[in-house]
Amino acid sequence: MGAIPMQRETDPRASDAQGPGSPHPRAEVSTTLCGSPLAPGSARALLRAALAEWTELGLPGTEHLTVRLADDAVVVVSELVTNAVVHAGTDVGLVCRLEAATGDLVVEISDHHPSRAPRDSDGEPSYETPEFGRGLRLVAALSEDWGVTYRRGAKTVWARLPAEPPGAYDGECSLHVADFLAPEPLQAERDRDWLNRGALSFLAEASDLLAGQLDEDLVAALTGQLIVPRLAEWCAVWLEDEVTGRGGWSDGVSGTGPRLARVWHSSENRIEDLRRALEKDPPRAPDPIRSGPVSYPWPGDALGPRAERGSALAYRLIAGGRPLGTLVIGRSGMIRFPDEITGLVEDLGRRVALAIGAARQYARQATISAVLQRGLLPGAVAEIPGVHSALVYEPCDKGGPSGDFYDLFPAGDGRWCFAVGDVQGKGPEAAVVIGLARPWLRLLAREGYGVADVLDRLNQLLLDDATEAADAAARVLVAAGGRPIGPGDGPQTRFLSLLYGELAPFDGGVRCTLASAGHPLPLLLGPDGSVRPTARPQTLLGVVEDETYRCETFELRPGDTLLCVTDGVTERRSGSRQFDDGDGLAEALAGCVGLSAELIAERIRRMVHEFGGGPPEDDLALLVLQAE
């Protein structure tokens, strides 16, 4: 989520839009930004758009706008919004105004629900840098003055950036984010000024772009677009394996080296030739832990006759003390890169390394989640004589393995058992419970235990397991010298809602025995369109010691359909409404008369998806059993 569309408090051209003590109109823009990692980028975009529009309208005070002032304002707004989002996490208000009389830019960032209590309650501005502030020293360095004002229910940090004298405006004030990051020829006469004044803003926006990427190859591609041609004529990114150490800096002998993930050149027709040349000469360095820069051989043959000479530098990409790859930049027609560029690229390289490390961590977590998910679900669903079955399973994949699970398996003696469950929570904790519940369900069923007895024993098993885990944690903590664990501390009881049943086919139908432990009740659809629940509500598993569960037995006749779902179906939201409000699920099932099990499952799935405005935010599982 980003910024709400720009809303001005006043018409910027109106004569009555005056600041305190100012006889001239002022330009002002305000907006609300959601407390997300994207908020700083949205704030910068809003500010650039406002400055560009004010300049185009020729409003009073815009004659003072310069590239330097615009870049400083972008940095200040970025840091203040980041500070508010990091330390408050709530929506923040942004107000920017241009004082017509002086040309000063004033920015205000307000947090309307501060998570920290104000230190002072007298309402006076505080000029101290809070120890929990982020980037406020930078704000202080760029601003003429700044401060913090506390009001009832709100904390506002403001900063005033002084205008430059008329005539300092060079006519090239770049006020759009797209222009600021877009490639344009690197001109030597502007290097020093841009690097001194625009580098911080460039790094801030580059950080936002890189931080949102979850694929290391895409990080490498964005790195090339950020560097070329603003900082270099060409660049390349090699990636290596930080776990096994393969693909590190080449020793020039063994022939092993990093993977060349991306090559970028300001002239596209040179990219392939440059790639081939670089693949033959991967980076080498005597000190693999150094982040750079070190010299890299100039690939003149691949760059054409106009680029016979030039300078190239290699930077090691390191995050958390581990080498992740190498960044190489090059620029023809120069003996060495300016120190300002080498320092900026090294700073950018650290951000690239962090983004690559985060992308790899995400990839590892996704792989682990996929492996766990496959291991927690049955490899195949059993076919039951006289019964058609259909299954829909859609994990939303938030925080690891899904908390929903299902099973349908033979239990021997002409019996088949089915289960649809939902564990409290997701991720590893959910995986532990599912990994415990599914094998025990199968074992108890095949040992001949009935439906109610299986739930009784599984309930006690979950309670015993949680108690043992808490005792083990307490022993470890006490042995380490910590305080004993008290009530409410340590591992908590693991709750499980479960619909568990047994099917026994016979001539003319299927006998079904089932029980629901804190789970949405199953619905039975008859050939005449009637729908009724077939179980009674009972307590969740893993909650009450020595709970006794009861089951229901009924017959599925030809044409009868049993629908079992998780709460991802019944509690699917559309605004304040849920899918099952007013027996919505039963009504949806009643409209499925005459459909096969597969078509019923697909229709319910589609209706659940269409009920909300976006994709489901919870795991979704449903099982349809239809007697032939």
Side-chain angles (χ1 to χ4, degrees):
M1 296 177 64
I4 295 175
M6 186 164 53
Q7 300 174 346
R8 291 185 178 79
E9 294 182 350
T10 59
D11 186 337
R13 289 166 291 183
S15 59
D16 59 346
Q18 299 177 8
S22 172
H24 303 287
R26 70 178 181 182
E28 183 168 305
V29 62
S30 64
T31 192
T32 300
L33 302 156
C34 74
S36 75
L38 298 181
S42 300
R44 290 193 294 271
L46 178 71
L47 177 60
R48 289 184 183 279
L51 295 179
E53 183 177 355
W54 297 342
T55 301
E56 182 179 357
L57 293 173
L59 299 182
T62 54
E63 66 274 10
H64 299 283
L65 287 179
T66 64
V67 174
R68 176 175 298 180
L69 181 59
D71 286 342
D72 286 354
V74 166
V75 173
V76 168
V77 166
S78 179
E79 291 298 333
L80 291 181
V81 172
T82 299
N83 182 67
V85 170
V86 168
H87 295 287
T90 61
D91 291 354
V92 296
L94 164 64
V95 175
C96 301
R97 66 176 182 270
L98 177 65
E99 299 293 348
T102 63
D104 292 353
L105 274 175
V106 179
V107 297
E108 297 180 0
I109 305 297
S110 299
D111 165 31
H112 300 289
H113 301 280
S115 59
R116 294 179 182 268
R119 291 182 177 182
D120 305 312
S121 57
D122 55 7
E124 293 298 322
S126 171
Y127 295 89
E128 298 178 358
T129 301
E131 70 274 12
F132 52 83
R134 179 184 182 275
L136 294 184
R137 287 188 175 87
L138 176 61
V139 172
L142 295 176
S143 306
E144 182 179 58
D145 50 43
W146 69 282
V148 181
T149 302
Y150 291 106
R151 300 182 181 90
R152 183 180 298 275
K155 169 188 172 184
T156 299
V157 183
W158 56 269
R160 178 183 294 274
L161 287 79
E164 298 191 24
Y169 175 57
D170 58 10
E172 297 176 348
C173 186
S174 178
L175 298 175
H176 296 280
V177 171
D179 295 336
F180 186 75
L181 286 179
E184 61 182 35
L186 184 64
Q187 302 177 19
E189 64 271 16
R190 299 186 60 189
D191 276 355
R192 188 173 301 277
D193 183 67
W194 180 83
L195 290 169
N196 287 339
R197 305 300 300 181
L200 290 174
S201 183
F202 169 77
L203 287 174
E205 298 196 27
S207 296
D208 280 353
L209 287 174
L210 295 170
Q213 309 309 320
L214 300 177
D215 181 88
E216 61 180 62
D217 288 307
L218 186 53
V219 172
L222 284 174
T223 301
Q225 296 178 48
L226 288 167
I227 291 177
V228 178
R230 182 173 290 278
L231 301 176
E233 184 181 3
W234 60 267
C235 80
V237 178
W238 281 264
L239 297 177
E240 55 196 74
D241 186 347
E242 84 277 19
V243 177
T244 64
R246 299 177 191 172
W249 290 68
S250 172
D251 55 15
V253 177
S254 62
T256 62
R259 173 175 67 90
L260 185 55
R262 186 70 176 180
V263 176
W264 199 265
H265 195 288
S266 57
S267 177
E268 292 187 6
N269 58 6
R270 293 292 180 188
I271 292 179
E272 289 307 315
D273 290 339
L274 180 59
R275 174 182 288 276
R276 285 192 290 268
L278 295 176
E279 286 176 340
K280 297 176 183 178
D281 194 10
R284 304 177 180 89
D287 183 2
I289 302 302
R290 181 182 174 188
S291 61
V294 296
S295 296
Y296 180 84
W298 181 251
D301 293 341
L303 300 176
R306 296 184 179 180
E308 294 181 358
R309 293 181 299 175
S311 178
L313 296 174
Y315 297 79
R316 198 71 189 276
L317 301 175
I318 300 172
R322 297 178 296 179
L324 306 180
T326 308
L327 168 65
V328 174
I329 63 171
R331 186 173 174 188
S332 60
M334 62 187 310
I335 300 176
R336 60 185 296 272
F337 276 92
D339 292 340
E340 292 84 0
I341 290 183
T342 60
L344 180 59
V345 174
E346 186 171 3
D347 204 349
L348 177 63
R350 285 191 285 269
R351 289 160 168 77
V352 172
L354 290 173
I356 292 173
R360 289 186 174 182
Q361 180 64 30
Y362 175 82
R364 285 193 292 268
Q365 185 62 46
T367 300
I368 293 172
S369 297
V371 171
L372 281 175
Q373 196 73 67
R374 288 195 298 268
L376 296 174
L377 298 175
V381 176
E383 294 185 3
I384 306 173
V387 177
H388 285 305
S389 63
L391 176 74
V392 171
Y393 179 72
E394 294 181 351
C396 68
D397 194 25
K398 289 185 178 179
S402 166
D404 289 6
F405 72 97
Y406 63 88
D407 207 353
L408 183 58
F409 59 92
D413 300 328
R415 298 176 300 122
W416 280 260
C417 293
F418 64 93
V420 177
D422 186 1
V423 178
Q424 180 192 40
K426 301 182 186 298
E429 283 294 326
V432 168
V433 179
I434 297 174
L436 187 71
R438 271 195 62 243
W440 275 100
L441 281 175
R442 290 193 169 210
L443 177 63
L444 293 171
R446 288 167 179 168
E447 287 293 321
Y449 288 96
V451 170
D453 290 335
V454 168
L455 294 186
D456 290 345
R457 284 160 174 76
L458 185 58
N459 177 61
Q460 194 59 48
L461 179 68
L462 291 173
L463 289 166
D464 291 345
D465 183 70
T467 301
E468 291 173 3
D471 290 344
R475 288 193 296 271
V476 170
L477 187 60
V478 172
R483 66 175 179 84
I485 292 181
D489 295 335
Q492 301 297 307
T493 302
R494 295 150 175 174
F495 302 147
L496 169 65
S497 75
L498 181 68
L499 177 63
Y500 174 69
E502 181 181 288
L503 300 171
F506 66 92
D507 291 340
V510 179
R511 183 173 295 104
C512 179
T513 302
L514 55 74
S516 174
H519 202 79
L521 299 182
L523 298 177
L524 180 64
L525 170 65
D528 59 352
S530 61
V531 177
R532 64 180 178 88
T534 58
R536 70 182 69 177
Q538 299 183 80
T539 307
L540 286 163
L541 297 173
V543 177
V544 180
E545 188 85 19
D546 298 326
E547 177 74 1
T548 299
Y549 290 89
R550 294 178 174 80
C551 56
E552 315 289 332
T553 300
F554 58 94
E555 293 182 353
L556 287 172
R557 295 292 181 176
D560 286 343
T561 301
L562 185 67
L563 174 64
C564 312
V565 303
T566 59
D567 60 10
V569 173
T570 57
E571 297 179 4
R572 167 72 160 144
R573 302 192 69 86
S574 177
S576 61
R577 297 175 54 245
Q578 293 186 347
F579 185 77
D580 198 32
D581 285 351
D583 294 327
L585 180 59
E587 182 178 344
L589 182 59
C592 297
V593 175
L595 299 181
S596 66
E598 291 81 2
L599 291 178
I600 291 176
E602 174 57 26
R603 173 176 284 190
I604 299 297
R605 184 202 69 81
R606 187 177 68 252
M607 293 177 70
V608 170
H609 274 264
E610 293 174 350
F611 183 75
E617 296 182 355
D618 195 6
D619 306 318
L620 186 151
L622 63 91
L623 175 66
V624 178
L625 301 171
Q626 189 175 69
E628 296 180 352

